[in-house]
Amino acid sequence: MENIETLLSATNVYIDESGHTDDPSSNTMVLGALWISVPQLSLFTDAIRTVKKKHNIASHREIKWTKVSPAKLDYYKELVDVFFAVEQVNYRAVVIDKSIIDYETYNKTRDDFYYSMTYILVRTIAEKRYGDMRLFLDYKDAWSGIRTTKLAGYLNNTSSLNSKSLSAQPVRSHEVVGLQLSDILTGAVMYANKPQEEQKSDAKKELIAHIEQRSGQKLTCGTPYSSEKINILKWKPKR
């Protein structure tokens, strides 16, 4: 059972997305968040650094789902093993079928929908922790700062979030290992939910199988609310 210090400590949440609403190449959108209690952060980053050193990977080399290949498969499996080995490092994803989004009925723009889905992503994390929450999102363009400011305001105005305060800021993913691991797990969830005929990389399919074996959870299925290490919601609109 988690102690009071853990429940009250600050939590870093590293948010990644795949298949945004404006992306016509996929019918699926995934919002993913790797979240970690701040006291565990140095242990986590040190473990990642050790894996990189073992595989002769430069410490500054970015970890990305798109770089998963047969030659690097063992390296990426060991990175995933770090995620499972370090306590208080967890992952949550919201998987969305874009074909069932009805913007007109709910009077939402694409940005409104993104904020609503990010709230759903973060809410379950916030309900399990009582300390401050710090959200870190991948810096994509000049609008990233404005977008994250609006997101923080939206979430802070939501009364059901337990955290004492919530901040959000864009960061460069190549500088933040938490965001890079979030990219790996979000990429895996996205890939697993693609049609079989689009899953052409054996290395990526093997890494997905490794994640599923370690977690005991299929990445194509939702999990109970209580699941923490891997928590997946298959979103459906309210009727």
Side-chain angles (χ1 to χ4, degrees):
M1 181 176 291
E2 295 163 349
N3 58 37
I4 295 297
E5 182 181 358
T6 296
L7 290 172
L8 296 178
S9 65
T11 300
N12 283 2
V13 183
Y14 302 96
I15 296 176
D16 190 55
E17 62 182 280
S18 184
H20 192 266
T21 51
D22 292 328
D23 179 4
S25 66
S26 174
N27 285 327
T28 303
M29 173 181 175
V30 178
L31 286 176
L34 182 118
W35 52 288
I36 178 170
S37 296
V38 170
Q40 292 290 90
L41 190 56
S42 60
L43 177 63
F44 180 64
T45 54
D46 286 348
I48 296 296
R49 193 177 298 114
T50 298
V51 172
K52 285 188 170 185
K53 186 175 182 180
K54 175 184 175 180
H55 289 270
N56 296 312
I57 306 292
S59 59
H60 64 272
R61 185 70 59 84
E62 189 171 6
I63 301 162
K64 287 186 70 67
W65 172 254
T66 56
K67 295 181 179 180
V68 174
S69 66
K72 291 287 190 293
L73 183 56
D74 287 343
Y75 166 58
Y76 277 96
K77 282 184 177 180
E78 289 189 33
L79 292 173
V80 166
D81 289 341
V82 169
F83 164 76
F84 284 102
V86 179
E87 293 183 0
Q88 304 309 318
V89 182
N90 304 290
Y91 176 78
R92 172 166 163 80
V94 177
V95 181
I96 301 146
D97 179 351
K98 292 191 289 189
S99 69
I100 62 176
I101 302 173
D102 186 347
Y103 297 107
E104 290 187 8
T105 297
Y106 295 97
N107 194 28
K108 288 183 181 294
T109 66
R110 279 175 166 76
D111 276 349
D112 290 337
F113 181 77
Y114 169 81
Y115 296 141
S116 297
M117 292 300 100
T118 307
Y119 162 71
I120 289 172
L121 176 73
V122 171
R123 178 186 61 197
T124 297
I125 301 170
E127 288 172 348
K128 297 177 180 182
R129 292 293 183 273
Y130 294 89
D132 297 342
M133 290 185 65
R134 304 183 298 198
L135 310 186
F136 299 92
L137 297 92
D138 191 8
Y139 182 95
K140 297 183 182 301
D141 52 42
W143 286 99
S144 294
I146 296 172
R147 193 182 194 193
T148 48
T149 298
K150 287 184 175 181
L151 175 60
Y154 181 93
L155 294 173
N156 274 313
N157 288 330
T158 304
S159 59
S160 63
L161 294 183
N162 292 327
S163 58
K164 294 178 181 177
S165 69
L166 184 147
S167 63
Q169 69 181 84
V171 291
R172 306 280 183 178
S173 62
H174 67 274
E175 300 173 347
V176 182
V177 71
L179 198 56
Q180 295 172 38
L181 264 292
S182 183
D183 176 271
I184 290 294
L185 294 168
T186 301
V189 173
M190 181 72 174
Y191 203 83
N193 282 276
K194 282 186 172 185
Q196 288 287 330
E197 62 271 17
E198 295 181 20
Q199 299 180 26
K200 301 182 184 300
S201 169
D202 288 339
K204 288 180 177 177
K205 287 191 286 187
E206 188 170 338
L207 186 57
I208 288 168
H210 184 68
I211 295 169
E212 292 181 336
Q213 186 275 324
R214 289 300 313 268
S215 65
Q217 165 65 38
K218 297 291 288 184
L219 299 187
T220 52
C221 300
T223 64
Y225 171 85
S226 58
S227 296
E228 286 208 356
K229 201 65 182 183
I230 296 282
N231 183 293
I232 298 174
L233 171 68
K234 302 294 288 285
W235 177 80
K236 292 182 180 179
K238 293 180 180 179
R239 299 298 181 187

